[in-house]
Amino acid sequence: MQLYDKDLLSVQEVRTLLSAAKAAQQELATKSQEYVDRIVKAIADAGVRNAVRLGALAQEETGFGVAEHKTIKNIFASKFVWDYIKDMKTIGEIGRDEKLGLTCYAVPLGVIAGIVPSTNPTSTCFYKAEISIKAGNAIVFSPHPSAQHCIDEAVKVIRQAIAEAGGNENLVSTISIPTRQATNILMSHPDTAMILATGGSAMVRAAYSSGTPAIGVGPGNGPSYIERTADIPLAVKRIVDSKTFDNGTICASEQSVICDDDMVDAVQAEMKRQKFYFLTDEQRDKLSKFILRGNGTMNPQIVGKDPQTVANLAGITIPADTRVIVAVDQGIGRGHPYSNEKLSTILGFFHAENYVKVCEHCVDLLHYEGAGHTMSLHTKDNDIVKYFAARIPASRIVVNSPSTFGGIGASTGLMPALTLGCGAIGGSATSENVGPMQLLDRRYVAVGKMELEDIQTAVAQAQGCCAAPASVSCGSAAGLGEADIDAIVKKILERLSA
């Protein structure tokens, strides 16, 4: 029997895939917006047609979430994304300002490295393929090993759709021998123009340290504030809809609920009515030891699991009709795992004196984990929204909506996306929901508006009011009032934009 080195085979495969993807992308770069849109629409249509099969396959292979919900995610990542991006100008000239003499052209980046997580494997493939090709790029996927088969199947569907639409199927491909070495080569190869990384913190750090430009996203740890003016039953209904969707595998889902001290009884009573189960102190301590691994990262055994499975794993007994497990724990930080991200049907519960203290608590939660990601508010007071928006270190503040659906742009006007930027505070290159416009460069053609003499004249006019001694005000020294200075500035601006 001949033995083969898996690492060497995977590295060679990456190089072959990148070469084919680069050739396909260079061909795509010569095509029109109509051609590109036809390809992307074909992918979206194929995603809808295969949504049920691929959803079931993803759940069966990974053991995460709910098959029916993964079907919804496949349709969201296919049709919802397409409906949002279909009218975007992403090829050739995309903007013109006659007054400033500027013309903007879209420039594809080239080949994208797409890192695919196990929590949303098939849906992520459709989403990243659509936004990459819409921006004129090709994409090579690095699949999570525990979701390799369903990702392979999703990519087969995508490649067939591209071919049937008259495109080059090498615009989308995936590594069939996933190894750490293969992923590292994919991310650092000279033919890789950008990394689109969705996954754990270690993977995102690797993407940013690869030497290749990257868009990575950190963990979510979004608190949900039920403020005193909220419709409590509706707020709780939205939270349970969100937290039970695919058993909490979307990082924009609520990780904790918080309210004012004098609202605790009312909020908890409604949560119990809607089948949230509050752990006893003993149960809370038992489950807390199961949420994180020894190195402080999330225990994959709880990810995407229903309450009964979580309870059985932790050795505790809960009512059979429990929809979400809740633990009351005011602590934040190391040693308080309920203050961490929990991509499962587990919530922390917090309370504070008033909205000011609640806001401080939410800030502390997000700075501990999830900075730059998402928070949700349930309130009828717009002043509360403004107060939190000015202070919370989150890129998305979802108001009166399930946080899962609001954050990814399903129930809000945000870009429908499964890669949610966390901004500089979260270590991300963007704070936006990532779409085609983050995957292209903009080239500006700028027409000259002034000669050197015009610039010198403008500079002299600007300096004219500043020739007086420092002890005398600029306006009075030059014999100019505020109106005179405004007139000079206006004239300079008119000259610049003429």
Side-chain angles (χ1 to χ4, degrees):
M1 178 186 295
Q2 187 173 4
L3 299 179
Y4 295 94
D5 188 305
K6 182 179 178 182
D7 293 336
L8 290 177
L9 286 173
S10 67
V11 167
Q12 183 55 53
E13 181 189 26
V14 169
R15 291 170 177 159
T16 302
L17 293 175
L18 282 170
S19 178
K22 183 178 180 180
Q25 190 279 323
Q26 289 174 338
E27 177 187 350
L28 185 68
T30 67
K31 304 298 184 180
S32 66
Q33 184 77 68
E34 292 73 22
Y35 178 95
V36 169
D37 289 345
R38 184 171 74 247
I39 300 296
V40 179
K41 184 178 186 301
I43 296 172
D45 291 344
V48 173
R49 289 195 305 271
N50 290 272
V52 175
R53 178 177 71 88
L54 292 174
L57 195 61
Q59 195 284 325
E60 180 182 355
E61 183 177 7
T62 65
F64 296 160
V66 181
E68 292 81 0
H69 295 172
K70 291 193 181 297
T71 295
I72 293 172
K73 286 200 283 192
N74 287 335
I75 295 172
F76 167 80
S78 301
K79 180 167 172 45
F80 280 46
V81 170
W82 164 248
D83 286 345
Y84 193 93
I85 68 176
K86 63 183 180 181
D87 295 324
M88 288 183 182
K89 289 184 177 181
T90 55
I91 304 297
E93 182 181 320
I94 61 173
R96 181 182 291 265
D97 189 318
E98 298 289 354
K99 186 175 182 181
L100 292 178
L102 294 176
T103 306
C104 182
Y105 293 88
V107 180
L109 301 181
V111 180
I112 307 295
I115 312 301
V116 185
S118 56
T119 47
N120 308 303
T122 56
S123 51
T124 295
C125 288
F126 285 99
Y127 155 67
K128 289 187 176 180
E130 287 185 31
I131 64 173
S132 295
I133 294 176
K134 177 70 175 180
N137 305 302
I139 185 165
V140 176
F141 289 120
S142 173
H144 193 287
S146 68
Q148 182 185 349
H149 179 52
C150 64
I151 291 170
D152 286 347
E153 285 298 309
V155 171
K156 286 179 184 177
V157 168
I158 292 169
R159 285 169 64 88
Q160 181 177 344
I162 293 171
E164 290 176 352
N168 188 330
E169 61 186 18
N170 289 326
L171 287 169
V172 178
S173 56
T174 185
I175 299 170
S176 66
I177 312 172
T179 65
R180 185 175 303 228
Q181 288 80 0
T183 300
N184 288 338
I185 290 294
L186 176 64
M187 293 193 298
S188 61
H189 196 280
D191 286 342
T192 298
M194 172 72 78
I195 303 167
L196 192 52
T198 308
S201 297
M203 174 57 69
V204 172
R205 284 194 298 271
Y208 277 116
S209 62
S210 67
T212 301
I215 297 176
V217 296
N221 191 30
S224 183
Y225 178 30
I226 302 179
E227 193 265 337
R228 63 179 60 256
T229 64
D231 180 331
I232 296 177
L234 180 56
V236 172
K237 185 260 183 190
R238 287 167 173 158
I239 292 170
V240 75
D241 286 348
S242 177
K243 192 61 177 170
T244 58
F245 183 76
D246 208 29
N247 288 339
T249 54
I250 290 182
C251 52
S253 62
E254 297 85 348
Q255 303 302 311
S256 56
V257 171
I258 187 166
C259 66
D260 294 7
D261 287 342
D262 60 0
M263 298 289 291
V264 169
D265 289 344
V267 170
Q268 288 193 355
E270 182 59 34
M271 291 176 73
K272 291 174 182 177
R273 192 186 72 79
Q274 296 196 37
K275 308 303 181 183
F276 288 73
Y277 175 71
F278 283 78
L279 299 172
T280 66
D281 290 347
E282 180 182 356
Q283 290 175 325
R284 182 193 63 203
D285 292 342
K286 275 186 111 172
L287 180 57
S288 71
K289 295 177 175 61
F290 203 78
I291 292 174
L292 303 179
R293 294 184 289 192
N295 61 2
T297 60
M298 195 186 321
N299 184 349
Q301 289 184 275
I302 69 165
V303 174
K305 297 299 190 295
D306 61 77
Q308 286 297 337
T309 301
V310 170
N312 291 339
L313 288 169
I316 62 177
T317 301
I318 64 173
D321 59 355
T322 297
R323 302 182 72 187
V324 180
I325 295 171
V326 187
V328 178
D329 186 352
Q330 291 292 84
I332 297 174
R334 194 171 181 85
H336 298 279
Y338 295 105
S339 67
N340 283 78
E341 181 185 42
K342 305 164 290 295
L343 296 181
S344 189
T345 47
I346 305 170
L347 279 174
F349 187 92
F350 303 93
H351 53 90
E353 181 181 350
N354 51 43
Y355 74 91
V356 174
K357 295 298 182 182
V358 166
C359 186
E360 292 173 0
H361 211 82
C362 292
V363 169
D364 290 343
L365 276 167
L366 287 166
H367 276 307
Y368 170 56
E369 186 173 52
H373 208 288
T374 305
M375 179 190 173
S376 58
L377 292 170
H378 300 273
T379 180
K380 296 176 183 176
D381 188 340
N382 195 49
D383 287 337
I384 289 289
V385 176
K386 292 179 180 178
Y387 184 89
F388 276 73
R391 293 165 175 81
I392 292 294
S395 301
R396 281 153 293 278
I397 297 180
V398 177
V399 180
N400 297 328
S401 174
S403 190
T404 291
F405 309 126
I408 66 174
S411 63
T412 62
L414 294 171
M415 162 76 204
L418 293 175
T419 298
L420 311 181
C422 296
I425 195 170
S428 179
T430 180
S431 61
E432 297 180 288
N433 285 17
V434 177
M437 303 312 290
Q438 284 76 46
L439 300 182
L440 55 80
D441 284 334
R442 294 167 177 81
R443 177 178 296 150
Y444 290 93
V445 175
V447 177
K449 307 294 287 183
M450 299 178 73
E451 299 296 336
L452 174 60
E453 293 79 6
D454 299 316
I455 296 171
Q456 290 173 326
T457 299
V459 169
Q461 289 176 334
Q463 289 178 319
C465 67
C466 298
S471 59
V472 183
S473 71
C474 186
S476 62
L480 299 175
E482 291 292 333
D484 299 310
I485 295 172
D486 287 344
I488 292 172
V489 172
K490 182 178 179 182
K491 185 174 292 186
I492 293 170
L493 292 175
E494 288 174 350
R495 194 182 288 260
L496 286 169
S497 60

